[in-house]
Amino acid sequence: MRIPIIRLISTQFWKQSLQNKAVLFLLLILSLLFAFAAYTGWEDYKIQEDIRTEHQTEVRQQWEDKPDKHPHRMAHYGYLIFRARYPLSFFDYGLERYMGSSVFLEAHKQNTVNFSEAGFSSGMLRFGEVSTAMILQTLIPLFIFFLGFSCISAERENNTLKVLISQGAAWKEIFAGKIIGLLGLVSMVFIPVMILSTVIWFSLTGFKGAFDEFLRLVWIAAVYLVYFFIICSVCVMVSAVSRTSKSSLVKLIGLWLLFIIIIPRTAQAFGAYLYPAPSKIDFDTKVENELVKTGDSHNPKDIYYKGIKDSLLQAYQVKTTEELPFNYSGYIMAEGEKISSGIYNRYWQKQLDIYEEQNSVNRSLAFVNPFQAVKDLSTALTGSDFNSYISYQEQVEAYRYQLAQLMNKLQMENISNKKQQENDKPYTISRDHWKELPDFQYRFITGNQLFQNEITSLISLLLWTLGILLCLYIMSKTIKIN
């Protein structure tokens, strides 16, 4: 292919498009939409993080300020955790509105993450929000189709295509020139968007952003560039095989509806139909029924825990629990917590397996729908995907278990085994022990783990790119002028 010819065709297409006032108007509208999305994303993240930081500090202070208490009472007093958002989530909201913002931690019970914004919103939220990613994924393809639906079909209608071919231009050069011209027009919006996103990221992190976050921004830019290349190539190929510009436009609009609207919605419903997940009530009932079979750690006469008591007395060669070198009730609470957490985690893993099977339907469709691949990668790179939510829940449960077992340990070590009389002062320990509970530190998914989770999307984009290049090569050999 001759670079000067490709440059000439792309430059001519670029200039002709910019002479169209409708194109300039669309560029202005898209710019305003991106500015609005960037501002609302920045404001939403900043407000949410300020509120989270303020309340998390308050919760910690209230925990440490609690007076001398019995450790088991503190375990049931509980702790409140507010979910931290990834700094790049302003770019792509993903599941942010559905994840919930806080979870209450207490002994013997696993609570769900509550107070999602979707729960307080109208049904309009399901149609999506104006985020930077949403515009790039759904509106930019429409913009590309509007610009390029007649890029070759119009020349066929005007008989200028014959002149172009007769002057020595090859089909490969025509395809390359039109695709590069379309990408150039898209870059007029996309490059400023990525620069603005980088500035917002720096602002939200106090200009102390981690290198991993910057690397994710680079990956986001690369993913969307590949996506736009695929869309531009499809647009040019459809225009090349269409005899009229009208038929080309109808085909492209049909493709947009199919890949952006119909397939994703159908896949979600189909996944839920193939792999139905139990409701929260069913899940809680199964866990509760299993717990009943293993006994009640709060009941001193429980048969199961009586067996533990007998084995302890035999092991320490004593006759009563008061003679044990540690607090017996604290030991039983620790055992009960270990058993109940194991049961919950087992059922929760089964629930996750069902969700994974549901998501696999969507994920597999990335091989036939590049929009799905880009959507999955975008939410993963911005920390607003399903895997990030599950990782958060797992870390919160681990922290809840740590809290409960720390209180049980304090009870075992600091509370007397001697039974209290009616007028005795309740057993307590110093409030200084509350500081032994470390702050909750949420660890975001690492880059390596992220790409392991999204390997299907990466492979599908690679296959789409190779497939597009192959189709362009074949068409350049077989397509006819008329």
Side-chain angles (χ1 to χ4, degrees):
M1 291 191 294
R2 294 163 293 179
I3 302 300
I5 300 297
I6 295 174
R7 186 187 301 116
L8 179 63
I9 294 174
S10 62
T11 302
Q12 182 184 21
F13 178 78
W14 192 77
K15 289 180 178 180
Q16 286 179 346
S17 298
L18 290 181
Q19 289 174 355
N20 189 336
K21 293 183 179 180
V23 173
L24 295 176
F25 178 74
L26 282 177
L27 285 171
L28 176 62
I29 294 298
L30 284 174
S31 300
L32 292 175
L33 275 175
F34 277 122
F36 172 76
Y39 172 75
T40 54
W42 170 82
E43 184 181 43
D44 179 70
Y45 179 90
K46 192 173 185 304
I47 291 175
Q48 294 294 332
E49 277 301 288
D50 288 344
I51 293 174
R52 184 193 69 82
T53 303
E54 177 185 352
H55 288 297
Q56 196 64 72
T57 303
E58 182 181 353
V59 167
R60 181 67 189 185
Q61 192 62 46
Q62 289 177 350
W63 172 267
E64 294 184 358
D65 288 344
K66 281 296 174 182
D68 297 351
K69 280 182 180 290
H70 193 288
H72 195 65
R73 289 190 63 189
M74 283 299 289
H76 282 288
Y77 170 76
Y79 201 84
L80 194 62
I81 294 292
F82 295 89
R83 185 175 60 84
R85 291 176 55 178
Y86 195 73
L88 295 179
S89 61
F90 73 89
F91 184 91
D92 191 338
Y93 297 151
L95 297 177
E96 278 293 333
R97 298 295 185 258
Y98 302 89
M99 288 183 181
S101 58
S102 63
V103 56
F104 180 66
L105 313 181
E106 58 180 318
H108 315 304
K109 187 177 181 181
Q110 293 82 4
N111 295 312
T112 56
V113 187
N114 296 315
F115 304 112
S116 66
E117 293 184 49
F120 297 98
S121 304
S122 67
M124 291 299 292
L125 184 63
R126 72 187 62 181
F127 293 100
E129 298 171 287
V130 182
S131 67
T132 303
M134 185 277 288
I135 300 173
L136 291 174
Q137 293 168 14
T138 61
L139 297 186
I140 290 297
L142 268 181
F143 177 65
I144 292 173
F145 290 165
F146 174 77
L147 292 176
F149 76 94
S150 62
C151 63
I152 294 180
S153 59
E155 294 192 13
R156 177 179 284 112
E157 290 177 303
N158 298 331
N159 291 321
T160 55
L161 184 59
K162 292 182 180 179
V163 177
L164 191 62
I165 296 295
S166 64
Q167 289 179 344
W171 274 108
K172 292 180 183 179
E173 296 164 345
I174 295 174
F175 287 155
K178 299 295 184 180
I179 292 172
I180 292 173
L182 276 173
L183 282 173
L185 289 168
V186 173
S187 297
M188 292 179 63
V189 177
F190 181 63
I191 292 176
V193 165
M194 293 310 301
I195 293 174
L196 179 60
S197 298
T198 304
V199 172
I200 292 176
W201 166 67
F202 270 120
S203 171
L204 292 175
T205 57
F207 298 93
K208 297 179 181 178
F211 178 73
D212 177 70
E213 296 167 9
F214 176 75
L215 199 58
R216 291 198 188 196
L217 267 177
V218 174
W219 272 103
I220 288 172
V223 166
Y224 278 102
L225 279 176
V226 172
Y227 179 56
F228 296 148
F229 167 75
I230 294 172
I231 298 299
C232 291
S233 300
V234 169
C235 181
V236 171
M237 287 191 292
V238 170
S239 182
V241 298
S242 300
R243 294 195 174 277
T244 65
S245 297
K246 181 179 179 181
S247 65
S248 174
L249 181 60
V250 171
K251 293 173 186 175
L252 290 171
I253 294 300
L255 288 175
W256 184 86
L257 288 172
L258 179 66
F259 288 115
I260 306 296
I261 306 296
I262 298 175
I263 291 180
R265 298 295 188 272
T266 304
Q268 292 174 0
F270 192 59
Y273 173 77
L274 286 179
Y275 308 104
S279 65
K280 186 178 184 304
I281 295 178
D282 293 334
F283 177 83
D284 291 340
T285 301
K286 291 178 180 178
V287 172
E288 188 64 31
N289 290 338
E290 189 72 19
L291 287 173
V292 170
K293 296 177 183 178
T294 60
D296 182 5
S297 59
H298 289 74
N299 181 6
K301 297 181 181 180
D302 187 274
I303 298 177
Y304 178 83
Y305 289 95
K306 186 179 183 301
I308 296 178
K309 173 184 174 181
D310 293 340
S311 63
L312 278 175
L313 295 179
Q314 183 178 359
Y316 284 90
Q317 297 297 311
V318 294
K319 295 182 178 180
T320 65
T321 56
E322 294 183 2
E323 300 176 68
L324 291 171
F326 51 83
N327 183 269
Y328 169 73
S329 296
Y331 180 86
I332 289 298
M333 291 299 111
E335 285 297 308
E337 189 66 52
K338 185 187 300 183
I339 294 169
S340 62
S341 295
I343 291 172
Y344 175 85
N345 290 334
R346 188 168 66 252
Y347 277 95
W348 177 239
Q349 187 56 52
K350 292 180 181 179
Q351 190 89 343
L352 290 183
D353 291 341
I354 296 175
Y355 292 150
E356 182 63 28
E357 289 175 330
Q358 290 180 351
N359 291 333
S360 67
V361 177
N362 257 344
R363 200 174 293 113
S364 61
L365 286 175
F367 290 105
V368 296
N369 186 5
F371 166 77
Q372 188 63 51
V374 170
K375 184 179 180 181
D376 290 342
L377 281 169
S378 182
T379 54
L381 288 166
T382 55
S384 57
D385 62 326
F386 181 73
N387 289 320
S388 296
Y389 177 59
I390 295 304
S391 175
Y392 169 75
Q393 284 196 311
E394 290 174 347
Q395 292 179 47
V396 166
E397 170 55 21
Y399 184 80
R400 185 205 67 80
Y401 184 76
Q402 180 186 12
L403 182 154
Q405 295 298 53
L406 175 60
M407 295 300 108
N408 291 328
K409 178 175 177 289
L410 290 173
Q411 180 176 345
M412 291 174 62
E413 296 175 349
N414 299 281
I415 298 298
S416 172
N417 261 328
K418 182 181 177 182
K419 292 184 179 180
Q420 289 182 284
Q421 302 301 317
E422 184 177 350
N423 297 324
D424 288 348
K425 183 181 178 181
Y427 287 137
T428 62
I429 62 174
S430 172
R431 56 184 288 184
D432 294 335
H433 288 289
W434 312 148
K435 296 181 181 179
E436 295 181 22
L437 178 70
D439 282 333
F440 175 73
Q441 299 293 333
Y442 176 42
R443 301 178 305 279
F444 294 104
I445 292 179
T446 62
N448 291 337
Q449 184 62 46
L450 183 154
F451 289 117
Q452 289 178 17
N453 294 336
E454 300 301 329
I455 188 65
T456 302
S457 299
L458 287 171
I459 293 175
S460 67
L461 276 186
L462 176 62
L463 291 178
W464 263 94
T465 303
L466 294 176
I468 287 292
L469 293 175
L470 179 61
C471 288
L472 288 171
Y473 175 77
I474 294 173
M475 285 182 63
S476 67
K477 299 292 185 181
T478 59
I479 194 170
K480 298 181 180 179
I481 299 177
N482 295 322

